[in-house]
Amino acid sequence: MPGWLVEDQSIEPQIPVFDKPARKDGAFPATEFIYDPDTDAYQCPGGRELRPYWRDIPQGRPKFDKDRVKRFQARNQGCAACPPKPKCTPRRIVRKISLSKHE
């Protein structure tokens, strides 16, 4: 949230900023996924893509949701066939990553 404090509210943060700890379920942390700004997609450790949208529509799509978050998601078929799936998404069908506007 430092971006929100500094950019939107013009408040200089006087609080320490901590990184998120590792996931409790043992899955890959979001830092293991590589973001490619050219394609606007993340690549998982298994080589699959996570995108905010998988279909193009003529009128375009907003860059961020109303809550200023962009959600990236893998395809069901790609995630199911990926060898490191048990380590990537142990309790879900597909992997999702959220990116705040301020990150």
Side-chain angles (χ1 to χ4, degrees):
M1 300 306 290
W4 176 79
L5 285 170
V6 174
E7 294 170 16
D8 288 357
Q9 303 299 317
S10 300
I11 299 171
E12 188 171 331
Q14 300 295 318
I15 55 174
V17 178
F18 298 102
D19 287 335
K20 268 187 166 180
R23 292 174 52 124
K24 294 177 184 172
D25 60 1
F28 292 128
T31 55
E32 292 289 321
F33 293 74
I34 301 165
Y35 180 71
D36 181 12
D38 295 332
T39 60
D40 191 29
Y42 276 95
Q43 185 174 11
C44 78
R48 308 281 192 236
E49 272 193 340
L50 286 82
R51 295 184 189 173
Y53 304 106
W54 283 96
R55 291 185 297 160
D56 291 331
I57 57 174
Q59 65 265 28
R61 299 201 188 248
K63 195 166 184 170
F64 291 91
D65 293 343
K66 291 178 184 176
D67 58 356
R68 299 179 185 173
V69 175
K70 186 186 288 189
R71 290 170 180 85
F72 295 83
Q73 180 174 331
R75 285 190 167 198
N76 292 353
Q77 305 92 334
C79 233
C82 194
K85 182 180 178 0
K87 183 73 174 153
C88 186
T89 56
R91 291 187 271 160
R92 304 222 186 265
I93 295 171
V94 296
R95 182 62 186 256
K96 298 176 184 178
I97 294 178
S98 297
L99 179 68
S100 169
K101 177 183 175 184
H102 304 290
E103 288 187 56

